[in-house]
């Protein structure tokens, strides 16, 4: 590796645990010769293990449904970065920086497309209009195309309001992480392939928008004289507002990431051809039935594990921060052979967890 401008070789005495994230972990594996054979050979990288590294990229995507109000709900996005706001927080413990960072409420809902009892739509309530901000560059942060962003700005600048983000929790589309070249300094190619399975994902998001629209008729919304912000990019303008065709056109035009990428080094069973990481407890002559033989190993590579959000087979139906922390904690417990949750009482109807073998 390169450190302070010098090439340094670092050797591991026991194992290497890779925790570079959903983009970084597959990138490092691919550069090391672990990945799809055809992709590696096309770049002249010697193949160490032919595994589907970089595939199965999943992310939560959302579309905004905005409302004007005649009453201020507190602050705008630009208020967060002012000196006045910072001094209020430091000296008095008050002001916009005491908020949850724009996000004031969450709701989980199940549409007709979800076959089990789990949610497939998340509503996130944001107390601002992204297009009204001069400092918060949502277009760049959420990769919104120029025409869509211009329409948002024209409709929202100088106006008070709030946004409901309609978030797709179980996307059926799958993206990829690939290398541009074998140069480790080059950024990888991130192709999320949002709405690649467009009909199903768009249908679910449309149902989510209908749920969000129902809030406008509640007394709580009427109290703020909430009225929907109406705008559309050029190819949606001729469609009747509030029609199914209008909303599906808006979804296809203004979809954005919530930065919850997962799945590019998928954990799966030994016979799963889409898996990169092994979840099994196995007996090996070299180590016996010991905790450090358990899980998170890259298939076919001795002494290499991955422990981050990239191992999740499917993106969780909610925010990914806590589940990612859980992956790291669980990996540490398994490798060290400890049970750090043994003293946490279980609900009466929950079975005792499987005992981790003691280290020898």
């Amino acid at each position: 590796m390169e450190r302070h401008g010098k090439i340094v070789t670092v050797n591991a005495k026991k194992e290497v645990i890779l925790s570079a994230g959903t983009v970084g972990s597959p990138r490092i594996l691919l550069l090391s010769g672990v990945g799809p054979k055809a992709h590696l050979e096309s770049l002249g990288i010697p193949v160490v293990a032919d595994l589907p590294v970089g595939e199965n990229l999943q992310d939560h995507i959302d579309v905004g449904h905005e409302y004007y109000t005649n009453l201020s709900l507190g602050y705008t996005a630009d208020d967060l970065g002012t000196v006045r706001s910072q001094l209020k927080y430091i000296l008095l413990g008050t002001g916009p920086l005491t908020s949850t960072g724009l996000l004031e409420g969450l709701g989980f809902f199940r549409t007709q497309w979800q076959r089990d009892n789990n949610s497939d739509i998340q509503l996130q309530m944001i107390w601002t209009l992204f297009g009204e901000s001069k400092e918060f560059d949502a277009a760049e942060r959420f990769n919104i195309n120029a025409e869509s962003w211009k329409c948002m700005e024209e409709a929202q600048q100088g106006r008070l309001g709030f946004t409901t983000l309609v978030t797709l929790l179980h996307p059926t589309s799958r993206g990829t992480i690939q290398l541009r070249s074998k140069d480790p300094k080059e950024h990888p190619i991130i192709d999320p392939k949002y709405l690649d399975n467009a009909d199903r994902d768009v249908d679910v998001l449309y149902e989510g928008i209908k749920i969000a629209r129902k809030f406008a008729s509640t007394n709580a919304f009427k109290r703020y004289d909430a009225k929907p912000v109406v705008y559309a990019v050029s190819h949606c303008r001729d469609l009747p507002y509030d029609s199914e065709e209008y909303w599906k056109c808006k979804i296809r035009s203004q979809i954005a990431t919530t930065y919850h990428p997962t799945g590019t080094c998928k954990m799966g069973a030994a016979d799963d051809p889409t898996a990169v990481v092994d979840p099994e407890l196995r007996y090996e002559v070299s180590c016996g039935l010991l905790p450090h033989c358990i899980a998170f190993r890259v298939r076919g590579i001795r002494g290499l594990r991955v422990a981050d959000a990239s191992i999740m087979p499917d993106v969780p139906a909610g925010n990914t921060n806590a589940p990612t922390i859980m992956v790291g904690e669980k990996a540490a417990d398994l490798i060290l052979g400890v049970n750090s949750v043994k003293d946490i009482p279980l609900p009466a109807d929950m079975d005792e967890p499987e005992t981790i073998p003691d280290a020898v």
Side-chain angles (χ1 to χ4, degrees):
M1 67 178 186
E2 184 175 319
R3 179 178 172 83
H4 302 313
K6 297 181 180 179
I7 302 299
V8 179
T9 299
V10 179
N11 296 309
K13 291 183 178 180
K14 293 183 178 181
E15 294 189 334
V16 172
I17 303 172
L18 182 58
S19 299
T22 298
V23 176
S25 287
R27 174 177 173 271
I28 292 172
L29 288 174
L30 291 168
L31 287 167
S32 303
V34 180
K37 181 179 179 181
H39 177 51
L40 296 176
E41 288 182 342
S42 70
L43 298 174
I45 298 174
V47 179
V48 177
D50 183 11
L51 294 171
V53 172
E55 300 177 8
N56 191 50
L57 174 61
Q58 300 173 50
D59 190 12
H60 291 146
I61 51 178
D62 60 41
V63 62
H65 182 36
E66 305 91 349
Y67 289 89
Y68 295 133
T69 66
N70 289 331
L71 299 173
S72 173
L73 298 181
Y75 308 100
T76 67
D78 289 344
D79 289 329
L80 293 174
T82 65
V83 174
R84 178 184 176 86
S85 295
Q86 294 174 35
L87 289 175
K88 272 189 171 184
Y89 178 72
I90 294 170
L91 300 177
L92 304 174
T94 62
L97 292 178
T98 61
S99 78
T100 53
L102 299 181
L103 183 60
E104 293 294 336
L106 296 174
F108 292 86
F109 301 86
R110 178 165 57 92
T111 73
Q112 62 185 8
W113 296 99
Q114 185 68 15
R115 295 183 178 178
D116 57 28
N117 290 324
N118 295 317
S119 303
D120 56 350
I121 284 291
Q122 178 181 4
L123 298 187
Q124 304 182 65
M125 311 300 287
I126 313 292
W127 50 256
T128 191
L129 297 171
F130 287 121
E132 61 81 25
S133 173
K134 297 179 178 62
E135 302 295 331
F136 185 83
D137 191 352
E140 181 178 351
R141 296 187 188 207
F142 298 104
N143 198 27
I144 300 173
N145 71 63
E147 184 188 1
S148 293
W149 181 243
K150 183 179 179 181
C151 292
M152 290 175 66
E153 281 190 311
E154 290 175 350
Q156 298 176 19
Q157 284 240 316
R159 300 293 298 268
L160 297 172
F162 59 92
T163 303
T164 302
L165 294 180
V166 180
T167 306
L168 180 69
L169 294 179
H170 298 293
T172 57
S173 304
R174 299 291 184 269
T176 59
I177 303 289
Q178 293 186 321
L179 299 177
R180 296 181 186 276
S181 72
K182 58 183 178 181
D183 182 354
K185 293 184 179 180
E186 278 209 76
H187 293 300
I189 300 171
I190 305 172
D191 185 359
K193 298 184 180 178
Y194 297 145
L195 304 184
D196 193 44
N197 189 0
D199 289 343
R200 174 58 184 272
D201 289 350
V202 170
D203 285 341
V204 177
L205 282 167
Y206 172 60
E207 291 300 317
I209 285 177
K210 289 198 292 184
I211 294 171
R213 293 277 291 152
K214 290 180 181 179
F215 283 96
S217 61
T218 63
N219 290 331
F221 271 43
K222 289 177 181 177
R223 190 189 317 158
Y224 292 100
D225 193 24
K227 292 182 172 57
V229 178
V230 181
Y231 65 92
V233 294
S234 58
H235 54 281
C236 302
R237 285 175 183 156
D238 294 333
L239 299 174
Y241 176 73
D242 210 21
S243 66
E244 180 175 345
E245 294 78 10
Y246 169 86
W247 288 115
K248 288 187 174 181
C249 184
K250 178 180 169 70
I251 289 168
R252 290 186 175 94
S253 303
Q254 296 182 321
I255 208 72
T257 178
T258 52
Y259 289 101
H260 292 170
T262 62
T264 50
C265 298
K266 175 184 173 181
M267 177 182 281
D271 59 352
D272 183 355
T274 68
V276 174
V277 173
D278 184 357
E280 302 296 331
L281 167 61
R282 294 184 179 183
Y283 179 86
E284 293 185 1
V285 175
S286 61
C287 62
L289 192 60
L290 298 179
H292 64 271
C293 293
I294 302 176
F296 297 93
R297 300 178 310 175
V298 176
R299 292 166 55 177
I301 306 293
R302 184 180 295 275
L304 177 60
R305 303 178 196 261
V306 178
D308 55 34
S310 71
I311 71 164
M312 298 178 186
D314 296 295
V315 63
N319 295 55
T320 52
N321 184 27
T324 303
I325 294 170
M326 180 279 298
V327 167
E329 295 286 352
K330 184 65 174 179
D333 280 4
L334 292 174
I335 293 167
L336 295 173
V338 300
N339 186 352
S340 63
V341 297
K342 63 182 179 181
D343 296 326
I344 298 177
L346 296 175
D349 59 347
M350 184 178 291
D351 295 333
E352 287 292 327
E354 185 176 338
T355 302
I356 300 175
D358 293 332
V360 177

